[in-house]
Amino acid sequence: MEDRDPSTAVSSPAFSMENLTLDDPLSPSTRFSSPAELAPDLPSLLDLAARGQWRSVIDKVARARTTSLLSKPHEHLIYLAFNALALHKVRRFTDASLEIDSLSPADDRPDDPFHHPRFQYDSYPEIYPTLRGSMLPFSVRLLYADLPQRIGNRPESLDRLYSLLSFARSRSGDAWPRRAAFVLGALACNHFIHREFDVTLSLIRELLAANPSDPVLLSRLGYVQLQIGDVEGAKESFSLVEGMKLSGAEFENLVGRNRALGFIVAKDYVAAVREYEVCIERDPSDAVAVNNKALCLMYSRDLSDSIKLLEGTLERVPTAALNETLVVNLCSMYELAYVQHGDIKKGLSNWIARVAPDDFDSSCTRT
Protein backbone atom coordinates (compact mmCIF):
# COMPACT_ATOMS: atom_id res chain seq x y z
CA MET A 1 0.00 0.00 0.00
CA GLU A 2 1.19 3.50 -0.80
CA ASP A 3 0.78 4.77 2.74
CA ARG A 4 3.02 7.79 2.68
CA ASP A 5 1.66 11.22 2.11
CA PRO A 6 1.84 11.87 -1.64
CA SER A 7 2.93 15.40 -0.87
CA THR A 8 6.00 14.11 0.95
CA ALA A 9 7.50 13.33 -2.41
CA VAL A 10 9.27 16.15 -4.15
CA SER A 11 6.84 16.49 -6.99
CA SER A 12 8.21 15.48 -10.32
CA PRO A 13 8.03 18.43 -12.69
CA ALA A 14 5.75 17.35 -15.51
CA PHE A 15 7.02 18.03 -19.01
CA SER A 16 5.35 21.32 -19.80
CA MET A 17 3.78 22.16 -23.12
CA GLU A 18 5.17 25.65 -22.58
CA ASN A 19 8.62 24.22 -23.20
CA LEU A 20 7.54 23.24 -26.69
CA THR A 21 6.60 26.72 -27.77
CA LEU A 22 9.40 28.80 -26.29
CA ASP A 23 12.26 29.74 -28.58
CA ASP A 24 15.54 28.34 -27.33
CA PRO A 25 16.40 31.22 -26.77
CA LEU A 26 15.61 34.17 -29.03
CA SER A 27 15.70 37.86 -28.34
CA PRO A 28 12.29 39.44 -27.65
CA SER A 29 12.30 41.13 -31.04
CA THR A 30 12.53 37.85 -32.96
CA ARG A 31 10.21 35.57 -30.98
CA PHE A 32 7.13 34.11 -32.58
CA SER A 33 4.05 35.90 -31.39
CA SER A 34 1.70 32.91 -31.08
CA PRO A 35 1.56 29.12 -31.36
CA ALA A 36 -0.30 29.47 -34.68
CA GLU A 37 2.61 31.49 -36.06
CA LEU A 38 5.19 29.07 -34.68
CA ALA A 39 4.00 25.94 -36.50
CA PRO A 40 1.03 24.78 -38.62
CA ASP A 41 -1.93 23.49 -36.61
CA LEU A 42 0.02 23.88 -33.37
CA PRO A 43 -3.01 25.18 -31.40
CA SER A 44 -4.78 21.89 -32.19
CA LEU A 45 -1.82 19.86 -30.91
CA LEU A 46 -1.70 21.95 -27.75
CA ASP A 47 -5.42 21.39 -27.19
CA LEU A 48 -5.11 17.61 -27.57
CA ALA A 49 -2.16 17.58 -25.17
CA ALA A 50 -3.99 19.70 -22.60
CA ARG A 51 -6.86 17.18 -22.65
CA GLY A 52 -4.48 14.24 -22.25
CA GLN A 53 -5.24 12.82 -25.70
CA TRP A 54 -1.68 11.75 -26.35
CA ARG A 55 -2.51 8.96 -28.77
CA SER A 56 -4.34 11.48 -30.92
CA VAL A 57 -1.21 13.65 -30.80
CA ILE A 58 0.83 10.71 -32.13
CA ASP A 59 -1.69 10.14 -34.93
CA LYS A 60 -1.78 13.83 -35.84
CA VAL A 61 2.01 14.04 -36.06
CA ALA A 62 2.10 10.91 -38.23
CA ARG A 63 -0.45 12.43 -40.63
CA ALA A 64 1.43 15.72 -40.78
CA ARG A 65 4.63 13.91 -41.69
CA THR A 66 2.99 12.19 -44.67
CA THR A 67 1.64 15.44 -46.11
CA SER A 68 3.17 18.76 -47.09
CA LEU A 69 1.98 20.44 -43.89
CA LEU A 70 5.51 20.89 -42.49
CA SER A 71 7.84 22.89 -44.71
CA LYS A 72 10.39 24.59 -42.45
CA PRO A 73 13.15 23.00 -40.34
CA HIS A 74 11.86 24.36 -37.02
CA GLU A 75 8.37 22.99 -37.75
CA HIS A 76 9.75 19.47 -38.12
CA LEU A 77 11.57 19.88 -34.79
CA ILE A 78 8.42 21.05 -33.01
CA TYR A 79 6.40 18.12 -34.30
CA LEU A 80 9.21 15.74 -33.37
CA ALA A 81 9.18 17.17 -29.85
CA PHE A 82 5.43 16.65 -29.59
CA ASN A 83 5.72 13.10 -30.87
CA ALA A 84 8.52 12.18 -28.46
CA LEU A 85 6.63 13.75 -25.57
CA ALA A 86 3.43 11.90 -26.46
CA LEU A 87 5.32 8.59 -26.72
CA HIS A 88 6.83 9.31 -23.31
CA LYS A 89 3.39 10.05 -21.86
CA VAL A 90 1.95 6.72 -23.03
CA ARG A 91 5.07 4.94 -21.71
CA ARG A 92 6.49 3.95 -25.11
CA PHE A 93 9.90 4.94 -23.85
CA THR A 94 11.99 3.01 -26.38
CA ASP A 95 10.10 4.61 -29.26
CA ALA A 96 10.50 8.04 -27.66
CA SER A 97 14.24 7.44 -27.34
CA LEU A 98 14.47 6.44 -30.99
CA GLU A 99 12.66 9.64 -31.94
CA ILE A 100 15.14 11.80 -30.01
CA ASP A 101 18.10 9.74 -31.25
CA SER A 102 17.01 10.42 -34.83
CA LEU A 103 18.43 13.91 -34.28
CA SER A 104 21.88 12.32 -33.78
CA PRO A 105 22.80 14.10 -30.53
CA ALA A 106 26.56 14.43 -30.05
CA ASP A 107 27.65 12.04 -27.29
CA ASP A 108 31.06 13.71 -27.23
CA ARG A 109 29.51 17.03 -26.20
CA PRO A 110 27.63 16.38 -22.94
CA ASP A 111 27.52 20.13 -22.30
CA ASP A 112 25.47 20.63 -25.49
CA PRO A 113 24.64 17.46 -27.45
CA PHE A 114 22.51 19.52 -29.85
CA HIS A 115 25.16 22.03 -30.84
CA HIS A 116 25.10 21.10 -34.56
CA PRO A 117 24.51 24.02 -36.95
CA ARG A 118 21.43 22.31 -38.41
CA PHE A 119 19.60 23.26 -35.18
CA GLN A 120 20.41 26.94 -35.65
CA TYR A 121 18.21 29.49 -37.40
CA ASP A 122 21.40 31.11 -38.65
CA SER A 123 22.07 28.10 -40.88
CA TYR A 124 18.99 28.86 -42.99
CA PRO A 125 19.23 32.60 -43.80
CA GLU A 126 17.00 32.21 -46.84
CA ILE A 127 14.17 30.91 -44.60
CA TYR A 128 14.89 32.91 -41.41
CA PRO A 129 16.56 36.16 -42.48
CA THR A 130 15.96 37.84 -39.10
CA LEU A 131 16.21 34.92 -36.64
CA ARG A 132 19.28 33.85 -34.70
CA GLY A 133 20.10 31.12 -32.20
CA SER A 134 18.78 27.63 -31.60
CA MET A 135 15.42 26.46 -32.93
CA LEU A 136 15.42 23.33 -30.77
CA PRO A 137 12.48 23.11 -28.31
CA PHE A 138 13.75 22.84 -24.75
CA SER A 139 11.57 19.76 -24.22
CA VAL A 140 13.86 17.83 -26.58
CA ARG A 141 16.75 18.47 -24.20
CA LEU A 142 14.60 17.40 -21.24
CA LEU A 143 13.48 14.21 -22.93
CA TYR A 144 17.03 13.39 -24.00
CA ALA A 145 18.06 13.62 -20.36
CA ASP A 146 15.06 11.85 -18.86
CA LEU A 147 14.53 8.88 -21.17
CA PRO A 148 17.53 6.66 -20.31
CA GLN A 149 16.22 6.04 -16.79
CA ARG A 150 12.88 4.96 -18.24
CA ILE A 151 14.62 2.08 -20.00
CA GLY A 152 16.87 1.06 -17.12
CA ASN A 153 19.83 3.44 -17.25
CA ARG A 154 19.43 5.89 -14.38
CA PRO A 155 23.14 6.83 -14.17
CA GLU A 156 23.01 8.08 -17.75
CA SER A 157 19.93 10.16 -16.98
CA LEU A 158 21.61 11.69 -13.94
CA ASP A 159 24.69 12.58 -15.99
CA ARG A 160 22.54 14.18 -18.67
CA LEU A 161 20.34 16.05 -16.19
CA TYR A 162 23.33 17.54 -14.39
CA SER A 163 24.87 18.46 -17.77
CA LEU A 164 21.59 20.08 -18.78
CA LEU A 165 21.53 22.01 -15.49
CA SER A 166 25.03 23.36 -16.19
CA PHE A 167 24.02 24.21 -19.75
CA ALA A 168 20.89 26.07 -18.63
CA ARG A 169 22.85 28.02 -16.01
CA SER A 170 25.39 29.07 -18.63
CA ARG A 171 22.80 30.64 -20.92
CA SER A 172 21.47 34.17 -20.85
CA GLY A 173 17.91 35.28 -21.37
CA ASP A 174 14.74 35.46 -19.34
CA ALA A 175 13.69 31.83 -19.90
CA TRP A 176 16.86 30.13 -18.74
CA PRO A 177 16.69 30.67 -14.94
CA ARG A 178 13.22 29.11 -14.98
CA ARG A 179 14.50 26.21 -17.08
CA ALA A 180 17.41 25.68 -14.72
CA ALA A 181 14.98 25.59 -11.78
CA PHE A 182 12.86 23.06 -13.66
CA VAL A 183 15.86 20.75 -14.13
CA LEU A 184 16.92 21.26 -10.52
CA GLY A 185 13.45 20.19 -9.43
CA ALA A 186 13.62 17.11 -11.67
CA LEU A 187 16.94 16.16 -10.05
CA ALA A 188 15.53 16.66 -6.55
CA CYS A 189 12.61 14.40 -7.44
CA ASN A 190 14.94 11.77 -8.88
CA HIS A 191 17.10 11.63 -5.77
CA PHE A 192 14.05 11.65 -3.48
CA ILE A 193 12.46 8.69 -5.23
CA HIS A 194 15.68 6.73 -4.69
CA ARG A 195 15.78 7.80 -1.03
CA GLU A 196 18.93 9.87 -1.46
CA PHE A 197 17.63 12.42 0.98
CA ASP A 198 20.86 14.33 1.69
CA VAL A 199 21.22 15.21 -1.99
CA THR A 200 17.52 16.03 -2.20
CA LEU A 201 17.80 18.46 0.71
CA SER A 202 20.79 20.15 -0.88
CA LEU A 203 18.96 20.62 -4.19
CA ILE A 204 15.81 21.96 -2.53
CA ARG A 205 17.90 24.44 -0.59
CA GLU A 206 19.43 25.57 -3.89
CA LEU A 207 15.94 26.22 -5.20
CA LEU A 208 15.03 28.08 -2.01
CA ALA A 209 18.13 30.23 -2.29
CA ALA A 210 16.66 31.65 -5.49
CA ASN A 211 13.11 31.83 -4.13
CA PRO A 212 13.18 31.81 -0.32
CA SER A 213 9.53 32.81 0.08
CA ASP A 214 8.02 29.97 -1.95
CA PRO A 215 5.58 28.20 0.41
CA VAL A 216 5.49 25.04 -1.73
CA LEU A 217 9.28 24.71 -1.73
CA LEU A 218 9.44 25.31 2.02
CA SER A 219 6.77 22.66 2.52
CA ARG A 220 8.71 20.20 0.40
CA LEU A 221 11.76 20.89 2.49
CA GLY A 222 9.67 19.97 5.53
CA TYR A 223 8.45 16.76 3.87
CA VAL A 224 12.02 15.60 3.22
CA GLN A 225 13.04 16.55 6.74
CA LEU A 226 10.28 14.28 8.03
CA GLN A 227 11.63 11.46 5.90
CA ILE A 228 15.01 11.64 7.62
CA GLY A 229 13.48 11.98 11.08
CA ASP A 230 14.21 15.68 11.51
CA VAL A 231 10.83 16.44 13.08
CA GLU A 232 11.96 19.73 14.64
CA GLY A 233 13.39 20.90 11.33
CA ALA A 234 10.13 20.04 9.59
CA LYS A 235 8.14 21.93 12.22
CA GLU A 236 10.32 24.97 11.63
CA SER A 237 9.81 24.76 7.85
CA PHE A 238 6.04 24.37 8.24
CA SER A 239 5.98 27.25 10.73
CA LEU A 240 7.68 29.51 8.19
CA VAL A 241 5.00 28.60 5.65
CA GLU A 242 2.17 29.26 8.08
CA GLY A 243 3.73 32.57 9.04
CA MET A 244 3.47 33.88 5.49
CA LYS A 245 -0.22 34.66 6.05
CA LEU A 246 -1.06 34.42 2.37
CA SER A 247 -4.66 34.23 1.18
CA GLY A 248 -6.52 31.78 -1.00
CA ALA A 249 -7.77 28.21 -0.68
CA GLU A 250 -4.65 26.70 -2.23
CA PHE A 251 -2.35 28.24 0.38
CA GLU A 252 -4.73 27.55 3.24
CA ASN A 253 -4.95 23.89 2.22
CA LEU A 254 -1.17 23.67 1.97
CA VAL A 255 -0.93 24.91 5.56
CA GLY A 256 -3.67 22.51 6.64
CA ARG A 257 -2.00 19.51 5.03
CA ASN A 258 1.30 20.45 6.64
CA ARG A 259 -0.40 20.64 10.01
CA ALA A 260 -2.06 17.27 9.42
CA LEU A 261 1.32 15.69 8.68
CA GLY A 262 2.46 16.73 12.13
CA PHE A 263 -0.50 14.87 13.63
CA ILE A 264 0.26 11.80 11.50
CA VAL A 265 3.85 11.75 12.74
CA ALA A 266 2.43 11.81 16.29
CA LYS A 267 -0.02 9.03 15.27
CA ASP A 268 -2.95 11.27 16.15
CA TYR A 269 -5.04 10.18 13.19
CA VAL A 270 -8.28 11.65 14.53
CA ALA A 271 -6.77 15.14 14.63
CA ALA A 272 -5.26 14.61 11.17
CA VAL A 273 -8.68 13.62 9.81
CA ARG A 274 -10.14 16.86 11.17
CA GLU A 275 -7.48 18.91 9.40
CA TYR A 276 -8.06 17.10 6.12
CA GLU A 277 -11.82 17.55 6.45
CA VAL A 278 -11.34 21.31 6.66
CA CYS A 279 -9.19 21.18 3.51
CA ILE A 280 -11.76 19.08 1.66
CA GLU A 281 -14.61 21.37 2.69
CA ARG A 282 -12.61 24.29 1.35
CA ASP A 283 -11.67 22.46 -1.88
CA PRO A 284 -13.42 19.14 -2.63
CA SER A 285 -10.94 18.47 -5.45
CA ASP A 286 -7.90 18.44 -3.12
CA ALA A 287 -6.83 14.89 -3.99
CA VAL A 288 -3.94 14.87 -1.50
CA ALA A 289 -6.24 15.75 1.40
CA VAL A 290 -8.83 13.18 0.29
CA ASN A 291 -6.25 10.43 -0.13
CA ASN A 292 -4.59 11.13 3.20
CA LYS A 293 -7.88 11.40 5.08
CA ALA A 294 -8.77 7.96 3.70
CA LEU A 295 -5.45 6.55 4.90
CA CYS A 296 -5.95 8.06 8.35
CA LEU A 297 -9.41 6.50 8.51
CA MET A 298 -7.89 3.17 7.57
CA TYR A 299 -5.22 3.50 10.25
CA SER A 300 -8.06 4.23 12.66
CA ARG A 301 -9.62 0.88 11.57
CA ASP A 302 -12.45 2.52 9.67
CA LEU A 303 -11.81 0.77 6.37
CA SER A 304 -15.39 1.03 5.16
CA ASP A 305 -15.50 4.82 5.41
CA SER A 306 -12.06 5.16 3.83
CA ILE A 307 -13.28 3.20 0.78
CA LYS A 308 -16.49 5.24 0.59
CA LEU A 309 -14.49 8.47 0.71
CA LEU A 310 -12.22 7.53 -2.18
CA GLU A 311 -15.04 6.09 -4.29
CA GLY A 312 -17.23 9.13 -3.69
CA THR A 313 -14.44 11.53 -4.62
CA LEU A 314 -13.67 9.66 -7.84
CA GLU A 315 -17.35 9.87 -8.73
CA ARG A 316 -17.76 13.57 -7.90
CA VAL A 317 -14.47 15.03 -9.19
CA PRO A 318 -12.88 12.38 -11.43
CA THR A 319 -10.68 14.84 -13.31
CA ALA A 320 -9.00 16.09 -10.13
CA ALA A 321 -9.03 12.87 -8.11
CA LEU A 322 -7.98 10.36 -10.75
CA ASN A 323 -4.30 9.81 -9.98
CA GLU A 324 -2.29 6.64 -9.61
CA THR A 325 -1.54 7.02 -5.90
CA LEU A 326 -5.19 7.35 -4.95
CA VAL A 327 -6.20 4.40 -7.16
CA VAL A 328 -3.40 2.19 -5.79
CA ASN A 329 -4.57 2.92 -2.25
CA LEU A 330 -8.21 2.26 -3.11
CA CYS A 331 -7.30 -1.09 -4.70
CA SER A 332 -5.23 -2.02 -1.65
CA MET A 333 -8.23 -1.24 0.54
CA TYR A 334 -10.41 -3.45 -1.66
CA GLU A 335 -7.92 -6.27 -1.14
CA LEU A 336 -8.14 -5.83 2.62
CA ALA A 337 -11.92 -5.49 2.74
CA TYR A 338 -13.26 -8.01 0.24
CA VAL A 339 -12.60 -11.64 -0.57
CA GLN A 340 -13.82 -11.17 -4.16
CA HIS A 341 -11.78 -8.02 -4.70
CA GLY A 342 -10.78 -9.00 -8.23
CA ASP A 343 -14.23 -8.29 -9.68
CA ILE A 344 -14.44 -4.95 -7.87
CA LYS A 345 -11.02 -3.88 -9.14
CA LYS A 346 -11.97 -4.98 -12.65
CA GLY A 347 -15.01 -2.72 -12.50
CA LEU A 348 -12.82 0.17 -11.37
CA SER A 349 -10.35 -0.57 -14.16
CA ASN A 350 -13.12 -0.52 -16.78
CA TRP A 351 -14.38 2.82 -15.47
CA ILE A 352 -10.86 4.28 -15.57
CA ALA A 353 -10.46 3.13 -19.17
CA ARG A 354 -13.51 5.22 -20.10
CA VAL A 355 -12.64 8.45 -18.30
CA ALA A 356 -8.85 8.62 -17.80
CA PRO A 357 -6.43 10.52 -20.03
CA ASP A 358 -4.06 8.51 -22.20
CA ASP A 359 -1.12 8.95 -19.84
CA PHE A 360 -2.88 7.38 -16.85
CA ASP A 361 -1.06 4.20 -15.80
CA SER A 362 -3.91 1.68 -15.66
CA SER A 363 -1.59 -1.01 -14.27
CA CYS A 364 -2.00 0.67 -10.85
CA THR A 365 -5.27 -1.26 -10.39
CA ARG A 366 -3.26 -4.52 -10.32
CA THR A 367 -5.99 -6.47 -12.11
Side-chain angles (χ1 to χ4, degrees):
M1 166 143 342
E2 300 225 353
D3 58 0
R4 63 172 171 79
D5 182 294
S7 63
T8 61
V10 180
S11 300
S12 175
F15 286 115
S16 169
M17 302 314 302
E18 179 187 26
N19 293 318
L20 292 171
T21 57
L22 285 167
D23 325 80
D24 196 21
L26 297 174
S27 66
S29 61
T30 58
R31 288 182 177 176
F32 295 94
S33 61
S34 69
E37 184 182 342
L38 181 56
D41 215 15
L42 184 56
S44 175
L45 276 178
L46 287 165
D47 180 63
L48 289 172
R51 289 188 277 125
Q53 296 181 352
W54 296 105
R55 292 183 178 86
S56 296
V57 169
I58 294 169
D59 292 342
K60 193 172 186 66
V61 171
R63 288 195 300 272
R65 286 172 165 175
T66 60
T67 66
S68 58
L69 180 67
L70 307 177
S71 61
K72 298 179 180 178
H74 82 277
E75 295 170 355
H76 286 278
L77 286 174
I78 289 168
Y79 269 68
L80 181 144
F82 262 97
N83 202 48
L85 178 60
L87 290 167
H88 185 289
K89 289 287 190 179
V90 299
R91 290 170 295 283
R92 290 171 55 183
F93 300 121
T94 299
D95 291 338
S97 292
L98 290 172
E99 185 81 344
I100 299 296
D101 288 345
S102 71
L103 296 175
S104 302
D107 294 334
D108 61 333
R109 282 285 304 275
D111 61 315
D112 184 8
F114 299 99
H115 69 282
H116 196 278
R118 68 179 179 278
F119 301 127
Q120 302 291 317
Y121 287 112
D122 314 55
S123 299
Y124 310 92
E126 68 284 359
I127 302 175
Y128 312 107
T130 63
L131 300 183
R132 300 291 181 270
S134 174
M135 66 176 71
L136 191 76
F138 186 63
S139 59
V140 170
R141 300 180 188 274
L142 286 169
L143 288 164
Y144 174 74
D146 177 84
L147 280 164
Q149 66 185 329
R150 309 295 178 175
I151 51 180
N153 192 351
R154 183 190 175 225
E156 181 65 24
S157 271
L158 284 177
D159 286 346
R160 292 181 182 183
L161 283 167
Y162 276 106
S163 294
L164 181 56
L165 178 61
S166 296
F167 176 80
R169 285 172 164 170
S170 72
R171 312 296 286 179
S172 60
D174 295 340
W176 287 102
R178 177 170 43 78
R179 292 170 176 171
F182 187 99
V183 178
L184 200 57
L187 282 163
C189 175
N190 193 304
H191 288 292
F192 181 92
I193 289 170
H194 292 88
R195 304 189 67 81
E196 296 160 354
F197 297 130
D198 288 345
V199 183
T200 305
L201 284 171
S202 175
L203 294 171
I204 292 177
R205 287 190 170 111
E206 279 192 59
L207 287 165
L208 280 168
N211 196 356
S213 299
D214 186 328
V216 175
L217 276 178
L218 276 169
S219 296
R220 289 175 180 170
L221 176 64
Y223 306 152
V224 181
Q225 289 168 322
L226 285 179
Q227 291 290 317
I228 62 174
D230 183 6
V231 176
E232 292 305 314
K235 286 181 179 178
E236 182 179 347
S237 297
F238 294 156
S239 178
L240 288 171
V241 173
E242 194 162 357
M244 291 179 181
K245 304 294 184 184
L246 302 177
S247 60
E250 186 175 353
F251 173 75
E252 291 171 5
N253 275 22
L254 177 65
V255 171
R257 293 196 305 268
N258 291 349
R259 197 180 295 126
L261 276 179
F263 290 127
I264 291 174
V265 170
K267 300 192 182 326
D268 187 350
Y269 301 121
V270 174
V273 165
R274 286 197 297 267
E275 287 291 343
Y276 289 129
E277 284 175 343
V278 173
C279 293
I280 295 166
E281 184 177 351
R282 189 182 293 120
D283 178 9
S285 66
D286 187 334
V288 173
V290 169
N291 182 72
N292 291 359
K293 178 188 172 184
L295 290 174
C296 290
L297 288 171
M298 186 190 69
Y299 293 149
S300 302
R301 302 188 179 184
D302 190 354
L303 188 56
S304 176
D305 278 353
S306 66
I307 290 174
K308 288 177 183 177
L309 173 63
L310 295 185
E311 288 179 334
T313 303
L314 284 173
E315 184 178 349
R316 288 191 303 274
V317 285
T319 302
L322 191 57
N323 66 68
E324 287 86 349
T325 298
L326 189 147
V327 171
V328 164
N329 285 337
L330 178 56
C331 288
S332 298
M333 292 173 190
Y334 285 153
E335 291 165 4
L336 292 172
Y338 305 114
V339 175
Q340 301 296 330
H341 55 75
D343 292 340
I344 298 173
K345 292 196 297 181
K346 182 65 175 176
L348 176 63
S349 182
N350 290 339
W351 176 81
I352 288 172
R354 294 194 302 270
V355 303
D358 291 342
D359 55 340
F360 187 86
D361 185 359
S362 59
S363 67
C364 66
T365 59
R366 301 197 297 270
T367 52

